[in-house]
Amino acid sequence: MKRIVNLSLMAFLLGMTMFLVSCQEEEPLEESIDQELTLTMENDVVSLLKNMVANDGSYDNIIDGASCFDVNFPYEIRIGEEKITVNSYEDLKTVEEALDLLEDKDFVRQLIFPVTLTMADYTQLTIEDGDELNSLAEQCLEGGADEDLECVDIAYPLTLFTYNPNFQLTNTVEVNADVEFRRFIAGLTENDLLSIEFPIQLHYADSTSISVNSNSELANAIEQGRGLCDEDDDIDHNDDDFTQAHLEELLLICPWAVSRYTTSNSEATQYVESHHFTFLQDGKVLTQAAYGYEIEGEWAVEMIEGRAQLSVYFDDKSDYNGAWWVYEIIPGKIRLKNVEEENKLTLEKDCEYRPDTCSEEQIMQGLSDCKWTILNENNTFFEELALNFTTEGGLYVENANGTVVDEGSWSVTGNVVVISQLSKTLANYIGEWKVLECGLDSYKLSRGEEIIVLHKNCEE
């Protein structure tokens, strides 16, 4: 009954329009069309609809490096020495895991041809070699610049009506999927008129929905959906989607150990097993190294263009200061990439971690236990010298022969070592040095931007 009423109403409205047209034949056709009910093929709403229901090829960028098409299942890909058969979306996780294992190594990555692609308009294309695939991929607009709209979806089924230029009903069809809708639009000519049975529902990527009742409401609703999610239109296989709430909840669960840290100017991955982060509800974050003094900073998570970003800032100098994109979360691990550089950071959940910080007593007892060799942060120094911290507060500087070449005094307040009264070789090291780490065999101290490392030397 509802369908009959709707069709009758539509016929009446169109009949009225035809009457007006017959009385004013000199008026252009587009001025006689009720834009809230009927669409011409040149209408911007039709373009928005085509982009919204286009095939999203970004889910398999790990395979083809392009978001404007995808590779039809099944197919095979070689990752290093392993050949993986991809039969479904779930198998892409197997490919990703294989790539993660070889992340810091040289390896062969090869798609086995021929393969069949599904393009943005759902047409099929068979590709015979990698050159042909790469040529097509270069034509894709990546980084979110492409026209497809992936953050808003239509709630199907959807009923469509088409009319000829004389406003006569030519077809009524029910579509139940994006592919049906896109192919239906592709089959229309420039002279066809399109009408949608309202109301319809749209679902946004943030889990909200909206009901629209006209073409203008539909256009506005689609535009509002832009930027609500990360469309993954890039070729980074580790670029996963996360919500702000999900990441915040995860960070607060347990302390996190820094297990890997790679800088943009270093070819090798650094494995750092001693540093930990403890994220607190009030926006504070604590970091400790093994036997290190606790440093307090601030943290925050925000969503930028659909991507989760973690910002961490400490008052003291830290390699971790700055904004980090979260590009992968797997059980027990969070992987991040620095926003401004190519530094990468891996955090591993460590719920058993209990900080063992440097106390004033530990520092005093540790430094006075043996002699200490002084080095710069890069493990070099202009002269081979040893520091002898006595329990009475005396500080003696000895050369390689054990001869005292300078003397002064030292004291500890909290986690700060105060060096004073030196007048010769190490006179410029007078001042307050904050203890960053106090291990069994080494201490790391900082004075502003300057860092020195003391290594224990108990040889007589």
Side-chain angles (χ1 to χ4, degrees):
M1 177 64 71
K2 178 181 177 183
R3 178 66 52 79
I4 294 174
V5 171
N6 285 335
L7 288 174
S8 299
L9 177 61
M10 187 68 66
F12 172 77
L13 292 171
L14 290 175
M16 291 297 294
T17 305
M18 290 176 62
F19 173 77
L20 293 174
V21 172
S22 64
C23 294
Q24 300 179 355
E25 293 183 356
E26 72 278 4
E27 293 294 328
L29 175 64
E30 56 268 23
E31 293 184 6
S32 304
I33 293 176
D34 187 340
Q35 302 262 338
E36 292 299 335
L37 295 175
T38 311
L39 298 169
T40 64
M41 290 303 100
E42 293 79 19
N43 194 291
D44 291 341
V45 179
V46 175
S47 296
L48 287 173
L49 288 170
K50 289 173 65 176
N51 294 337
M52 185 171 63
V53 299
N55 178 44
D56 174 22
S58 61
Y59 75 92
D60 69 344
N61 288 356
I62 186 175
I63 300 295
D64 55 28
S67 59
C68 61
F69 56 78
D70 57 32
V71 184
N72 293 1
F73 303 123
Y75 54 85
E76 292 183 321
I77 185 170
R78 185 180 299 279
I79 307 293
E81 300 298 321
E82 183 180 5
K83 181 184 287 186
I84 301 172
T85 300
V86 182
N87 292 301
S88 65
Y89 179 85
E90 288 71 23
D91 291 332
L92 294 176
K93 279 296 181 183
T94 303
V95 175
E96 183 172 353
E97 290 168 1
L99 289 172
D100 287 340
L101 291 174
L102 300 173
E103 187 174 14
D104 304 311
K105 301 179 177 65
D106 293 327
F107 63 94
V108 175
R109 173 177 169 177
Q110 181 181 14
L111 185 61
I112 308 301
F113 293 93
V115 296
T116 300
L117 308 180
T118 298
M119 311 305 289
D121 61 358
Y122 298 94
T123 57
Q124 306 284 308
L125 183 63
T126 299
I127 301 299
E128 300 293 341
D129 56 52
D131 291 339
E132 193 175 355
L133 179 68
N134 293 336
S135 178
L136 285 173
E138 290 174 359
Q139 299 174 34
C140 294
L141 294 174
E142 304 296 346
D146 56 344
E147 295 181 347
D148 68 327
L149 302 172
E150 302 166 24
C151 303
V152 55
D153 295 310
I154 296 175
Y156 293 103
L158 187 68
T159 302
L160 306 172
F161 309 97
T162 59
Y163 300 85
N164 62 24
N166 296 319
F167 298 99
Q168 294 172 324
L169 180 67
T170 56
N171 196 8
T172 301
V173 63
E174 182 179 274
V175 293
N176 293 279
D178 286 349
V179 57
E180 294 179 16
F181 197 176
R182 180 63 181 251
R183 287 175 175 171
F184 179 79
I185 295 176
L188 300 178
T189 70
E190 61 181 12
N191 294 322
D192 285 320
L193 303 176
L194 175 66
S195 183
I196 302 172
E197 183 180 61
F198 292 108
I200 65 172
Q201 293 284 326
L202 298 181
H203 298 315
Y204 291 136
D206 62 1
S207 299
T208 61
S209 299
I210 186 172
S211 177
V212 297
N213 295 279
S214 66
N215 292 332
S216 60
E217 288 184 16
L218 176 60
N220 291 334
I222 295 174
E223 290 289 356
Q224 290 174 11
R226 291 184 187 271
L228 289 180
C229 66
D230 178 9
E231 295 190 354
D232 283 338
D233 289 340
D234 50 60
I235 59 174
D236 184 355
H237 73 271
N238 279 323
D239 180 19
D240 295 338
D241 293 323
F242 312 103
T243 65
Q244 180 172 341
H246 176 209
L247 182 57
E248 289 175 341
E249 180 181 354
L250 195 61
L251 290 171
L252 292 168
I253 290 177
C254 289
W256 292 84
V258 178
S259 62
R260 303 175 74 180
Y261 179 68
T262 308
T263 62
S264 57
N265 56 8
S266 173
E267 296 181 357
T269 297
Q270 304 172 24
Y271 291 85
V272 188
E273 298 180 353
S274 57
H275 290 83
H276 282 76
F277 291 104
T278 303
F279 297 92
L280 306 178
Q281 288 275 7
D282 60 358
K284 301 295 183 182
V285 57
L286 307 177
T287 182
Q288 302 94 1
Y291 304 102
Y293 203 83
E294 185 175 88
I295 300 174
E296 183 178 290
E298 297 180 347
W299 71 283
V301 173
E302 58 182 329
M303 300 299 294
I304 300 178
E305 297 180 352
R307 301 176 65 186
Q309 178 179 293
L310 169 65
S311 297
V312 180
Y313 291 98
F314 298 97
D315 291 336
D316 296 271
K317 177 185 177 182
S318 173
D319 292 332
Y320 310 121
N321 280 353
W324 299 82
W325 292 122
V326 181
Y327 67 84
E328 184 174 30
I329 294 179
I330 58 178
K333 291 185 180 181
I334 301 175
R335 289 177 174 152
L336 308 101
K337 180 186 296 183
N338 190 273
V339 171
E340 298 179 355
E341 304 175 18
E342 287 298 317
N343 298 351
K344 291 184 178 181
L345 181 65
T346 299
L347 303 179
E348 289 193 18
K349 186 166 62 175
D350 187 0
C351 296
E352 303 300 320
Y353 172 72
R354 299 294 181 271
D356 188 0
T357 60
C358 298
S359 67
E360 182 175 315
E361 182 180 357
Q362 283 178 303
I363 296 171
M364 293 185 66
Q365 182 176 347
L367 289 179
S368 61
D369 188 38
C370 284
K371 296 179 182 179
W372 297 82
T373 301
I374 180 172
L375 299 171
N376 293 323
E377 190 177 13
N378 60 0
N379 289 325
T380 62
F381 204 66
F382 63 88
E383 189 174 344
E384 186 177 347
L385 298 173
L387 301 179
N388 184 4
F389 298 87
T390 69
T391 55
E392 294 80 17
L395 175 59
Y396 298 94
V397 181
E398 301 177 2
N399 62 19
N401 299 321
T403 302
V404 175
V405 295
D406 200 358
E407 59 181 285
S409 61
W410 72 290
S411 62
V412 180
T413 302
N415 73 317
V416 176
V417 177
V418 180
I419 297 177
S420 56
Q421 297 181 335
L422 295 176
S423 59
K424 298 179 181 178
T425 308
L426 298 182
N428 59 329
Y429 285 83
I430 290 175
E432 297 183 351
W433 294 85
K434 181 179 292 187
V435 178
L436 302 179
E437 299 178 24
C438 56
L440 298 176
D441 300 313
S442 67
Y443 275 59
K444 180 182 286 188
L445 298 85
S446 69
R447 183 179 62 180
E449 297 293 314
E450 187 176 9
I451 292 179
I452 59 175
V453 180
L454 305 179
H455 288 283
K456 182 178 286 190
N457 181 8
C458 294
E459 296 180 2
E460 294 295 337

